[in-house]
Structures are given as structure tokens and as C-alpha cells.
Amino acid sequence: MSNVVRFGVSIHESLLKQFDQYIEEKRYTNRSEALRDLIRDHLVEQEWDENKETVGTITIVYDHGVHELMEKLTDLQHHYSSLIRSTLHIHLDQHRCLEVLVVRGRSGEIKRIADSLIATKGVKHGKLTATTTGKDLK
């Protein structure tokens, strides 16, 4: 890596112990890798707070037998088609389906489509996973 900077950090012993446990659980090879990931996570959160162009996934599980649910979900997806890059549809069993939408756009727009899909009657569970395009991360 070019331009790597070393710096010292003062930290309470008990907090460092917790951090080292975290590192072990997540299987990081060292503290530096874990710290870099925590910093990146914070920067990605900031991107979402600042309504920048971002990417993410929206995962929903629903009962396809609920009256007019498929039509509502399809209408919502067509309404937000400029944000949806790809979808994956899986039949979990005879009644339930899982759908994953890959989305790209301003975080506010992505939150709106996620909230709309997740709040649709018949959706049993939904989750927005927010990430980044990575262009501003080193």
C-alpha cells in the first residue's frame, strides 16, 4: 500500500479487550484491518446520511397468495425502475417467496422504495442493506 500512515491510539484496557474479542470473532488478521473496516463502515453511513449516490440491496419475504400483493409489488418496482439494477426471485415453498433487489441511486430514494416495499401488506419481512459504490473509499 502506498502512503500508509502509522499512528498511535490511546484506549482503555477493557475497551481494547472487547475490540480484540471482536477481531477474533470476525477473524481479522490484525487490529489495523479491523480498524480500517470500522472507519469505512462509518464513512458509508455518512454517505447515506448525506443523500449521496449509493448502492444496496432490498430483501423481502412475502406470501404470494395475499390478494393483489404481486400486482402492488410489481407496480412499485416499475415506479422505481430507474433505481433497480437487478432482481432475484426465489420460491421458498408453495406459499412464500424471497425477492432481492439490487438498487442504485441517491440514498433518500433508495430508502423510499425500501420503505414502500417493506410496508406493503403481505410482506412478512424486509430489510435494506446499505453499502457504497466505493468510489470515495480508499
Side-chain angles (χ1 to χ4, degrees):
M1 282 194 245
S2 63
N3 299 325
V4 173
V5 176
R6 289 180 172 265
F7 66 97
V9 176
S10 298
I11 189 169
H12 194 275
E13 183 179 3
S14 64
L15 186 56
L16 182 59
K17 262 186 166 173
Q18 287 179 311
F19 187 53
D20 285 340
Q21 286 175 334
Y22 170 82
I23 289 168
E24 188 176 327
E25 289 170 11
K26 298 292 184 179
R27 300 182 186 263
Y28 283 103
T29 56
N30 56 54
R31 290 176 179 158
S32 294
E33 285 298 322
L35 189 56
R36 280 190 283 270
D37 273 357
L38 290 172
I39 291 169
R40 287 184 192 114
D41 279 347
H42 176 74
L43 294 173
V44 169
E45 281 182 32
Q46 267 189 307
E47 280 184 30
W48 277 79
D49 290 344
E50 295 169 3
N51 199 30
K52 291 185 176 181
E53 182 187 9
T54 53
V55 294
T57 59
I58 303 167
T59 304
I60 57 174
V61 175
Y62 59 90
D63 181 343
H64 74 87
V66 172
H67 183 68
E68 295 183 0
L69 175 60
M70 297 295 296
E71 292 82 2
K72 289 176 186 174
L73 293 175
T74 300
D75 286 347
L76 280 169
Q77 290 181 36
H78 280 279
H79 180 74
Y80 290 103
S81 63
S82 63
L83 301 174
I84 299 171
R85 299 293 182 228
S86 183
T87 61
L88 170 69
H89 182 96
I90 298 171
H91 302 280
L92 297 174
D93 58 29
Q94 211 163 357
H95 303 285
R96 290 180 303 271
C97 297
L98 173 117
E99 205 157 284
V100 179
L101 294 84
V102 178
V103 289
R104 182 176 185 164
R106 297 229 171 255
S107 58
E109 296 171 313
I110 291 173
K111 287 176 186 175
R112 270 192 294 285
I113 183 177
D115 290 345
S116 296
L117 288 166
I118 293 166
T120 303
K121 185 178 179 179
V123 172
K124 294 182 173 288
H125 182 259
K127 186 165 185 78
L128 168 62
T129 302
T131 190
T132 177
T133 63
K135 69 179 180 184
D136 293 330
L137 291 179
K138 304 294 175 212

